[in-house]
Amino acid sequence: MVPALSDYVCRRVLDVRDQMLAQIRELGEATDRAQRPIPAWRRRLGNLRRRLPPSGQLALLVTTALFLLVALAVFIAHWPPGGGRSVSDFVFTQGASLVFVVILLSLLGGPVSASQTLGSDSGWILRDRQVWIGLAVVGGLSLLELWLGWVRPERAEAGASILLTAGGLTLTAFIAWRLVFLSDPINQLTARTRRQVPELMKTLRRDRSQTAERLRRQGISGDVLAELELQTPPETQARIRGHLMRLRAVSERALHDANWDLAAVGHRALSHLAQAYAHECLVIVAQDPVLDGYCEASNDLHAQVGEARGRDFSHAVLVNTRSTALTVAAKDAERFIGPHADVLPKEAFGTLRFVLALKHMANRRLADDSSTDAPDSLQIIGELGAIAAAMGDSWTSVNYLGHLLPYGISATQARKAHIAWPAWNGVLRSLGALAETHAKHRDPRAFAEAGRKLTDAIDAVATFPHPLHYSGFEPIATSSPTAGSFSLRSLAYAAWSSPTLELDHLKGWGLDTARSLSTLARATHQNDSLAGSFAVQEATETVHHLDVAPIIRSHDDENVDASDIVGNVAYQLSWMRCMGLTKDGLVPSVDLDQLAQIYLTDALLAAHLLAMRGAAVPEGLTKELGQFASDITAIEERDSSRGLADTTDLLARALAAAGEPQAATVSQAAKRLRELARDQPYDLSPMSGWGHLHHGAVTSGLYEEAEAWLGGLSGSSADEHELSR
């Protein structure tokens, strides 16, 4: 799938394919019915059966008629009645023996009333097995005692009948507890869901196997049959959707009556059915009436509440929607890594309907700062994007990422941290998953497109928020040590350590990101010098990590061209320099010492990498360091207390040498850099600036090697050339 296609076009393409498969299925089933006609006697029997009552009622009628006919035959055989020698107590005890059943039947009004409150299937209590099996057992005990009386039991047997009566009492109490339990609408709805959902799933499996058998009989084979066998028949989907709509109606009526608990349980039952359906399906198509109906119902129910008292219900809707979306995402993953991955197309649109519904929910609550619905919705979208990237559906992840970016831009400018943070964090999580995934069907080009969207979004932000903390922009501008967060700095190491991404894409993304951050920091400084100074500081730190990550990759991977990597770093250094230095001099209120030390640290790491590889110094780095030295010299001429001109000048002349760096000159530069560090320390140790990174440079040993290299160059001149070589 090309990234330029819109959601609508993608879904329409899949709709046409699904429609063709549906037509093949309908044609195969119609042909099978025509070739296997139903016998006339079966049709007549079926017509007669449809006129009779349901099976349970029919069994009761037959049993009652049988008892009455046998009793009538006995009376006819011994007509006229009466004429016995004495009054029989046995006859009088029969009424008392049925008292248990009478007690239980008197409690049926509660469950019936609860069914009426739910508003659908008021006669469900008639199909509750526990109640009617219990009633049958109680009636059987009564008949057993009558039979014992008729056969004239002994004294011990008569005493045992007391235990039978006690058992009947306890069983009566159990069934009475069940009836009272079902008298609560919430309990009855929960019991219905536990009973009906497994039955619906059993029907789904049976219908799917029968449809597959009919298609095989018609000679349909190959990939078409393999995919049709996995799909759920439309008739079954319609039946499950109808049950879904009845549960939706229960929640809507409860909301109308302000019964929040019943409404929440109704949506939970709705979600339970949708999750069971998604779990039972072998494949989820783009247009699935059951899941479409679930998302529509969830969005509509969420729209019906907005005041403070309905926040718990709307939060419950989001929690249930997230669970269902994750279940569908797991089923989507089977298109890529499941047992049927070979016959299924690699476009997983199962979660797209959830993303669109979540966007509606987020938009509905954007203005309500007291509601957590908007940030929760954006966080779920970010999770779905990361999951799509991890399973190899790269372009779907890019699509979801594009849905989040407008929220991050607008919320950052409006300083709504609770909206901005989940939006930016979700974007970075998706980018990280795109970088780190090793899925078979991944598309490495998707990372470049996602990175371009991110840099475009950073360009769309007017200024850095000030203060930066608790602004929601922390994932982009800081390390974001918050639990569950993902920062742009850690993304740099995740991306550059990925063996699946192309180096050209990584270089372009790093350069564009450095440019966007530098431009944003300068724009912030022009608007507010105080906020700009903090913006430059954070942007410089981030660009520093964008410099170090490719150097670490080149250090660890000998197949990477070190000169090419350092040349790209040189361009990123130019954007770092532009944040503090211009042709007119130092940008006011910028901490030049910190910027210079970070800049020179990156340059020395690049020099160390070139020295290790024996690679030529790229012309871009030479020009960039020369420009940096020229700017510093101009500043030093105006303010001699800076003391930076000789350091940068020596470093520039060292790296400008052809071939490899000259040890003696770099030695002088290293000594001067250490003198500067004693005055304004910028700790290079793992415990400071980068000790908390996602992909620590500590593990690569780069900083330790660079420290040893610099220390050696600062030592005796006899060993300088050997150490450098």
Side-chain angles (χ1 to χ4, degrees):
M1 187 193 311
V2 295
L5 290 178
S6 64
D7 296 344
Y8 175 77
V9 175
C10 293
R11 297 190 70 172
R12 291 299 299 169
V13 171
L14 292 179
D15 288 348
V16 173
R17 189 176 186 278
D18 293 340
Q19 290 174 6
M20 293 177 61
L21 291 175
Q23 292 175 357
I24 294 175
R25 182 197 302 110
E26 292 175 0
L27 180 61
E29 292 180 353
T31 305
D32 183 76
R33 286 192 296 268
Q35 294 178 355
R36 297 169 61 89
I38 301 175
W41 65 270
R42 290 189 60 183
R43 286 199 302 270
R44 296 191 187 96
L45 183 61
N47 294 333
L48 177 62
R49 180 65 186 85
R50 283 191 291 271
R51 297 176 183 177
L52 295 176
S55 57
Q57 297 180 17
L58 184 61
L60 289 176
L61 290 176
V62 172
T63 304
T64 302
L66 180 62
F67 289 157
L68 294 178
L69 289 176
V70 173
L72 181 61
V74 172
F75 279 116
I76 293 175
H78 297 274
W79 192 266
R85 295 182 179 180
S86 62
V87 177
S88 176
D89 294 334
F90 177 71
V91 178
F92 293 103
T93 58
Q94 294 185 46
S97 66
L98 297 176
V99 67
F100 301 151
V101 179
V102 174
I103 293 174
L104 294 177
L105 292 177
S106 66
L107 297 175
L108 283 176
V112 172
S113 177
S115 298
Q116 294 173 348
T117 301
L118 294 177
S120 64
D121 197 5
S122 300
W124 175 83
I125 187 62
L126 300 177
R127 300 191 301 276
D128 185 64
R129 293 178 180 176
Q130 294 187 28
V131 171
W132 295 104
I133 290 177
L135 285 173
V137 173
V138 170
L141 289 176
S142 298
L143 294 175
L144 178 60
E145 291 184 338
L146 290 175
W147 177 78
L148 286 174
W150 180 68
V151 297
R152 298 179 180 181
E154 298 178 355
R155 183 177 180 85
E157 294 172 341
S161 65
I162 299 177
L163 297 178
L164 291 178
T165 303
L169 287 172
T170 55
L171 184 58
T172 301
F174 174 79
I175 302 172
W177 175 87
R178 173 72 176 176
L179 292 173
V180 173
F181 175 81
L182 295 178
S183 299
D184 185 357
I186 293 178
N187 294 335
Q188 185 174 140
L189 182 58
T190 303
R192 285 189 186 189
T193 304
R194 292 176 179 174
R195 173 70 185 280
Q196 293 172 341
V197 169
E199 292 178 350
L200 289 171
M201 297 305 105
K202 183 178 180 181
T203 302
L204 186 152
R205 291 189 294 269
R206 184 187 66 243
D207 293 349
R208 185 171 57 208
S209 62
Q210 292 177 353
T211 301
E213 182 63 28
R214 286 194 292 267
L215 294 176
R216 279 192 292 268
R217 285 198 297 264
Q218 297 308 311
I220 300 176
S221 60
D223 294 340
V224 174
L225 177 62
E227 186 169 352
L228 286 175
E229 285 180 332
L230 302 178
Q231 294 184 4
T232 304
E235 299 80 6
T236 308
Q237 290 179 328
R239 188 181 304 114
I240 297 176
R241 179 184 170 90
H243 191 79
L244 202 74
M245 294 300 102
R246 287 192 291 272
L247 291 174
R248 168 183 173 171
V250 171
S251 291
E252 288 179 340
R253 279 189 290 269
L255 288 177
H256 183 268
D257 298 335
N259 190 345
W260 306 107
D261 293 337
L262 180 57
V265 173
H267 188 267
R268 187 172 62 198
L270 197 74
S271 303
H272 180 63
L273 175 58
Q275 292 172 27
Y277 169 80
H279 180 74
E280 195 63 43
C281 284
L282 298 179
V283 62
I284 296 176
V285 297
Q287 295 291 335
D288 190 293
V290 177
L291 295 179
D292 289 342
Y294 172 80
C295 291
E296 177 185 350
S298 298
N299 184 39
D300 291 346
L301 290 172
H302 186 269
Q304 295 184 31
V305 294
E307 60 274 11
R309 61 177 181 168
R311 283 178 185 153
D312 289 341
F313 172 76
S314 61
H315 178 70
V317 169
L318 281 171
V319 171
N320 297 330
T321 303
R322 176 182 180 273
S323 300
T324 308
L326 294 180
T327 303
V328 174
K331 185 59 62 174
D332 272 349
E334 295 184 4
R335 286 180 175 265
F336 298 86
I337 58 177
H340 309 291
D342 295 337
V343 298
L344 294 175
K346 300 302 177 286
E347 294 90 6
F349 276 94
T351 56
L352 178 59
R353 52 180 62 85
F354 289 90
V355 171
L356 299 179
L358 289 167
K359 282 186 63 179
H360 287 300
M361 297 181 191
N363 294 334
R364 198 174 291 121
R365 299 288 189 270
L366 282 177
D368 188 358
D369 294 337
S370 300
S371 175
T372 62
D373 291 357
D376 289 345
S377 300
L378 299 180
Q379 184 174 354
I380 298 171
I381 295 175
E383 291 179 0
L384 295 177
I387 292 173
M391 67 186 179
D393 193 6
S394 303
W395 292 110
T396 295
S397 178
V398 175
N399 181 16
Y400 294 174
L401 177 148
H403 288 297
L404 289 174
L405 287 171
Y407 293 98
I409 297 170
S410 59
T412 300
Q413 295 175 345
R415 198 167 183 83
K416 291 188 174 183
H418 65 292
I419 303 295
W421 188 91
W424 293 117
N425 186 65
V427 169
L428 294 176
R429 286 186 63 182
S430 298
L431 272 165
L434 286 171
E436 295 181 331
T437 181
H438 295 274
K440 177 181 178 181
H441 300 282
R442 66 187 181 279
D443 190 345
R445 298 172 298 174
F447 180 85
E449 176 65 17
R452 183 192 62 78
K453 288 188 175 185
L454 175 60
T455 54
D456 290 346
I458 296 175
D459 292 338
V461 177
T463 59
F464 265 84
H466 181 73
L468 183 59
H469 292 289
Y470 302 106
S471 65
F473 202 58
E474 294 94 334
I476 299 296
T478 67
S479 297
S480 291
T482 309
S485 64
F486 200 88
S487 68
L488 182 58
R489 298 177 186 179
S490 56
L491 174 62
Y493 295 94
W496 277 100
S497 64
S498 172
T500 61
L501 299 181
E502 298 180 6
L503 292 180
D504 290 339
H505 293 163
L506 288 172
K507 291 189 297 182
W509 170 73
L511 185 59
D512 290 342
T513 305
R515 173 196 56 77
S516 297
L517 291 172
S518 175
T519 304
L520 181 61
R522 290 293 302 275
T524 305
H525 195 280
Q526 293 175 1
N527 185 63
D528 184 351
S529 60
L530 178 61
S533 64
F534 288 101
V536 169
Q537 177 181 351
E538 296 294 345
T540 302
E541 282 276 3
T542 304
V543 175
H544 161 66
H545 293 282
L546 292 172
D547 291 342
V548 173
I551 294 175
I552 293 176
R553 170 68 180 275
S554 183
H555 171 270
D556 296 338
D557 188 354
E558 295 181 355
N559 296 323
V560 177
D561 186 356
S563 297
D564 186 33
I565 292 296
V566 172
N568 196 75
V569 170
Y571 287 108
Q572 296 177 185
L573 286 174
S574 68
W575 288 111
M576 184 189 297
R577 170 177 53 82
C578 290
M579 285 188 281
L581 302 173
T582 64
K583 62 181 180 179
D584 298 327
L586 177 66
V587 176
S589 71
V590 171
D591 188 350
L592 178 61
D593 292 331
Q594 184 187 35
L595 186 145
Q597 290 171 61
I598 296 177
Y599 184 98
L600 292 176
T601 298
D602 295 350
L604 286 172
L605 289 173
H608 167 61
L609 175 64
L610 296 172
M612 288 178 57
R613 297 288 184 84
V617 179
E619 182 181 358
L621 181 62
T622 302
K623 291 182 178 180
E624 170 55 30
L625 292 174
Q627 183 63 48
F628 182 78
S630 176
D631 293 343
I632 290 292
T633 302
I635 294 174
E636 205 273 343
E637 290 176 354
R638 299 186 184 95
D639 185 4
S640 59
S641 63
R642 290 290 181 180
L644 295 172
D646 56 345
T647 300
T648 53
D649 180 61
L650 290 174
L651 184 59
R653 286 191 287 109
L655 297 179
E660 63 182 24
Q662 300 298 316
T665 312
V666 176
S667 172
Q668 299 175 25
K671 290 179 180 178
R672 188 68 187 89
L673 180 62
R674 289 187 177 281
E675 293 174 1
L676 177 65
R678 283 196 296 270
D679 298 333
Q680 297 289 336
Y682 183 78
D683 191 2
L684 303 183
S685 67
M687 296 303 295
S688 64
W690 41 72
H692 56 271
L693 294 177
H694 180 62
H695 288 272
V698 181
T699 58
S700 69
L702 176 61
Y703 286 99
E704 289 80 352
E705 294 179 12
E707 285 284 344
W709 180 67
L710 289 174
L713 293 179
S714 301
S716 60
S717 58
D719 298 330
E720 286 178 347
H721 183 70
E722 181 65 23
L723 286 169
S724 176
R725 187 170 60 85

